[in-house]
Amino acid sequence: MSDVILSTRNLSRSFGALKATRNISIDLRAGEIHAVIGPNGAGKSTLIEQISGGLRSDSGTVHLVGRDVSALSTQARARAGLGRTFQISALAMEDTVLENALLGALGQSGRPWRFWRAAGEDRDLRARATAALERVGLAGVADQVTASLSHGQRRQLEVAVALTLSPRAFVMDEPMAGLGAEGSRVMTDFLDGLRGEAPILLVEHDMDAVFALADRISVLVYGQVIATGTVAEIRVSREVKEAYLGEGA
């Protein structure tokens, strides 16, 4: 399908006798948010690591805009256009907001890290970083130390760092984690507007956010996708209700 931006085919990974993911095939299409949900231990984190390059698969492939990126490192996949945000923040808390964005821009440029100290003087890198901060609404706090940001602002900064990579697709691991009701609402609105820039593969436990945002949902249970469909289809699926939604979601 021509509008498929990111896809996996038969991804599997075992840890000893534990089959964490089993023959997972999903795709992410242009302009959509595709949510992956499932109970704890379903294999969601393993899948994200396989897609992002942090964990080598036992079998299967990952394609980004038609290119097989399965053998690429995390950094190479990022440069190819895979933007990722983390469940646990990977920001440099002692650096400023702008410096974090500059790190992302420097990574996208492919320049060696030894040029980091000069990155702040590079007009192109600084423009890319500043534009990303403006896009997420953090330009006004660019000179603040990242540790001083609220939890929600740190989530936005992670997106800004990903934006400096000119992503073709986002992979987001629980962006609502740790946010209160108001923070989740703000983040939901933000992600809704972001899908036009790049589609989002979203792993999330906040079902209100998932149902508000997702064009499609894949349900992962015991390392396998048991259903993929629209919100309406997932809501009425007996198999999904029995395996997951009926357990308090």
Side-chain angles (χ1 to χ4, degrees):
M1 189 179 297
S2 61
D3 66 343
V4 172
I5 304 300
L6 176 68
S7 66
T8 73
R9 290 293 174 264
N10 301 313
L11 278 191
S12 297
R13 174 67 193 225
S14 296
F15 299 95
L18 174 64
K19 296 183 182 296
T21 56
R22 295 189 272 185
N23 297 316
I24 295 179
S25 296
I26 58 176
D27 61 63
L28 178 66
R29 303 169 187 168
E32 80 166 347
I33 294 179
H34 187 154
V36 178
I37 65 173
N40 291 332
K44 302 185 297 299
S45 295
T46 299
L47 174 62
I48 290 295
E49 288 296 320
Q50 289 176 274
I51 292 173
S52 301
L55 188 64
R56 185 61 60 93
S57 299
D58 295 331
S59 60
T61 58
V62 178
H63 285 78
L64 180 63
V65 199
R67 176 188 178 188
D68 188 342
V69 297
S70 308
L72 298 185
S73 67
T74 301
Q75 293 77 13
R77 294 187 200 197
R79 288 195 293 271
L82 188 62
R84 177 174 178 188
T85 68
F86 297 83
Q87 179 181 6
I88 299 173
S89 180
L91 299 170
M93 293 297 171
E94 70 280 5
D95 291 339
T96 68
V97 171
L98 178 60
E99 285 170 341
N100 270 282
L102 278 167
L103 280 171
L106 182 62
Q108 195 278 338
S109 73
R111 301 182 196 180
W113 290 107
R114 64 177 178 272
F115 291 115
W116 158 236
R117 290 190 179 277
E121 308 302 322
D122 187 301
R123 187 172 299 176
D124 290 339
L125 290 180
R126 196 175 183 92
R128 181 185 291 272
T130 300
L133 293 177
E134 289 175 348
R135 178 69 181 84
V136 303
L138 293 180
V141 295
D143 294 328
Q144 287 189 26
V145 174
T146 300
S148 70
L149 298 182
S150 69
H151 190 76
Q153 286 175 315
R154 292 176 191 175
R155 290 293 186 189
Q156 290 172 291
L157 179 54
E158 285 189 348
V159 174
V161 172
L163 282 170
T164 65
L165 301 170
S166 300
R168 302 299 301 273
F170 285 105
V171 177
M172 297 192 177
D173 191 1
E174 296 191 35
M176 310 296 174
L179 299 180
E182 177 61 19
S184 292
R185 185 194 65 76
V186 171
M187 183 60 71
T188 297
D189 290 344
F190 175 69
L191 296 183
D192 194 30
L194 192 63
R195 75 175 86 209
E197 192 147 351
I200 302 169
L201 185 67
L202 176 68
V203 172
E204 183 54 61
H205 279 295
D206 185 333
M207 296 307 300
D208 288 336
V210 167
F211 287 150
L213 286 168
D215 298 288
R216 290 185 297 150
I217 299 172
S218 289
V219 182
L220 196 60
V221 177
Y222 295 124
Q224 293 181 300
V225 175
I226 64 168
T228 294
T230 65
V231 170
E233 291 168 339
I234 295 301
R235 280 186 184 275
V236 300
S237 168
R238 181 183 298 276
E239 185 177 15
V240 172
K241 287 180 180 179
E242 291 176 352
Y244 179 43
L245 294 180
E247 296 180 1

